[in-house]
Amino acid sequence: MADQTYDYDVLIIGAGPGGYVAAIRAAQLGLKTACVESRETLGGTCLNVGCIPSKALLHGSELFEEAQAGGHLEKFGVKFDKVTLDLAKMMDEKSSAVKDLTGGIEFLFKKNKVTWLKGHAAFKDAHTVDVGGTAHTAKNIVIATGSSVTPLPGVDVDNDKLRIVDSTGALKLGEVPEHLVVIGGGVIGLELGSVWRRLGAKVTVVEFLDALLPGMDGDLRKEAARLFKKQGMELKLSTKVTAAKVSGKTVTLTVEPAAGGDAETIKASHVLVSIGRRPNTDGLGLDTIGLALNKRGQIETDHDFRTAIPGVWAIGDVIPGPMLAHKAEDEGIAVAENIAGQTGIVNHALIPGVVYTMPEFASVGLTEEEAKAEGHTIKVGKFPMMANSRAKTNRDTDGFVKIIADADSDRVLGVHIVASLAGTMIAQATQAMEFGATSEDIAYTCHAHPTHSEAVKEAAMAVQGKPIHM
Ligand code: FAD
Ligand code: NAD
């Protein structure tokens, strides 16, 4: 039963994977729940302009590349006279996936009796938000406002003109770029860079650091540079962009060595700015309730997702931790359970991360660098996909599985995978680690044959120095 003092037991600001999941779980637990969302559709960044549309284009562009002469299909005797691209159709299919999924959340809200308050929310006090001039009160308010693209000074994004774009613009280009320069060799740059390279663009990635994919295990970062170069991307590492000027259909970029030195210019038809994302807190009225941000502009919470203000909670991209949809979702479930008086927990040490390129890059737990820095003595088992029978049969042998175990206890500390199905394979590693597995536990678990997952078992056997197929 709702507390009579308030309109709602729980009011959630933002209907991304953090907010909409929190709302559904809160309603399932019998709490009177509202969710405020200012977009026209539910699902947040993830469903509207993130995970889902990017994966639709990754899938479509992968099919296009596989069908090319000399591509994967031809290898297996599937031939086409001529493969052509209908970009508008590919974009329609992406939009229809987005529509299906965002509509699905609207259905779930109705089914679970979650009230969708349409509009922008701002705090009036710790138990009241204003939405379009109407005040709504709640015993508990959850901030799940997500994140937006980090701007790059000197490089002005214009997602209408579609010449210099961020990820949202790169998901709706009306033509295949002749030359796409991607600023930032992180997840978005490599995923969306891959999409447009597969569809025919020359792609140059300009990355400030000396390696791609910051935060991932060093071996994966090295393999990423090797594989993306092999696929035809030009990589300019240890390089920064200082300016971009649009003239007609050409963008002239000024780039410099990251450590300083002579500048040069690069001409591009299109530019994608993907240098990270920052928390959405502007216009929320946090000052009104006295809620301060940390140095990175994030809202700090305790283990239960409580902020410093009683009754106000926060989850997802707006709080510290990896900016990932599944992390936001799990926090959404946990915060609702905590509000309902249950014990909601998220194990932040085991949030898997996946880059959905071909092959995929997936990681969970500690990298080798982190394990050593934490003082562990480690044993490492590696198994190449080249020696996995299913990958060999399918002719997709790029990559490897790397398992890092503690040398004394054999407990698995981290698993890092490069493989066509790495994003699927990482789930078993995450689950094993959640149960405190040793490498021996994984090595003696029966894995179906022939599957890519057998490479995880073999890498675990390699920790003891005894893989069978290598
Ligand atoms: P969001 O999804 O950002 O949702 C917040 C919502 O709050 C938004 O809809 C916003 O409109 C609303 N809002 C904000 N302020 C207010 C306000 N004051 N009043 C009302 N509403 C408000 N993650 C993955 O795990 N896997 C992927 O494959 C993946 N791919 C991605 C691809 C791209 C191109 C991008 C940009 C991101 C991707 N991400 C991916 C990251 C993922 O989208 C985010 O981590 C996730 O959406 C965060 O969820 P959230 O609920 O915290 O916030
Ligand atoms: P990112 O942090 O992954 O990568 C940004 C890259 O830009 C880094 O390598 C950084 O060194 C580089 N960089 C920063 N400033 C630069 C500059 N001035 N010049 C050149 N390089 C510069 O960020 P992103 O790719 O924008 O993605 C944002 C977030 O969205 C990520 O945190 C990620 O978690 C999330 N995301 C996840 C997925 C997924 O899970 N598959 C997909 C897309 C986005």
Side-chain angles (χ1 to χ4, degrees), residues 45 50-51 54-55 58 147-153 155 167 182-192 205-215 221 236 238-242 273-278 317 321-326 352-357 361:
T45 304
C51 323
S54 62
K55 266 77 245 174
L58 278 157
S147 64
S148 309
V149 173
T150 304
L152 177 59
V155 185
S167 54
V182 174
I183 309 177
V187 196
I188 292 182
L190 294 173
E191 286 189 355
L192 295 179
V205 178
V206 182
E207 165 58 49
F208 185 79
L209 300 174
D210 61 0
L212 303 170
L213 296 175
R221 299 179 73 186
K236 282 186 166 294
S238 305
T239 307
K240 62 180 175 191
V241 173
T242 51
V273 180
S274 49
I275 60 161
R277 294 177 63 81
R278 58 181 190 183
D317 280 9
M323 289 182 164
L324 295 171
H326 41 280
V354 182
V355 186
Y356 296 89
T357 47
F361 292 71

Side-chain angles (χ1 to χ4, degrees), residues 174-188:
E175 59 186 357
V176 177
E178 200 177 298
H179 182 196
L180 173 68
V181 170
V182 174
I183 309 177
V187 196
I188 292 182

Side-chain angles (χ1 to χ4, degrees), residues 12-20 36-39 41-55 117 119-122 131 144-149 167-168 171 187-188 191-192 277 280-284 315-319 322-329 331 352 354 356:
I12 294 144
I13 308 177
Y20 86 71
V36 192
E37 173 54 60
S38 53
R39 261 177 225 275
T41 48
L42 301 171
T45 304
C46 175
L47 270 61
N48 289 283
V49 290
C51 323
I52 296 306
S54 62
K55 266 77 245 174
L117 301 171
H120 184 272
V131 182
T145 49
S147 64
S148 309
V149 173
S167 54
T168 301
L171 288 166
V187 196
I188 292 182
E191 286 189 355
L192 295 179
R277 294 177 63 81
N280 288 332
T281 53
D282 285 353
L284 250 183
I315 55 168
D317 280 9
V318 80
I319 72 168
M323 289 182 164
L324 295 171
H326 41 280
K327 178 229 180 218
E329 288 187 48
E331 290 176 351
V354 182
Y356 296 89

Side-chain angles (χ1 to χ4, degrees), residues 341-424:
Q342 300 184 354
T343 309
I345 295 171
V346 177
N347 181 359
H348 285 104
L350 292 182
I351 308 279
V354 182
V355 186
Y356 296 89
T357 47
M358 180 53 74
E360 296 174 343
F361 292 71
S363 275
V364 67
L366 300 180
T367 63
E368 186 169 339
E369 298 76 17
E370 288 167 341
K372 286 178 179 161
E374 285 190 14
H376 291 280
T377 310
I378 57 168
K379 294 179 297 183
V380 175
K382 255 177 126 176
F383 189 80
M385 296 312 292
M386 182 64 96
N388 170 270
S389 60
R390 186 64 180 278
K392 255 178 124 74
T393 310
N394 288 5
R395 302 301 193 224
D396 68 351
T397 50
D398 279 335
F400 55 82
V401 177
K402 172 175 177 178
I403 297 187
I404 301 164
D406 184 272
D408 298 325
S409 64
D410 191 36
R411 193 169 171 155
V412 177
L413 301 173
V415 178
H416 309 281
I417 306 177
V418 184
S420 58
L421 298 179
T424 306

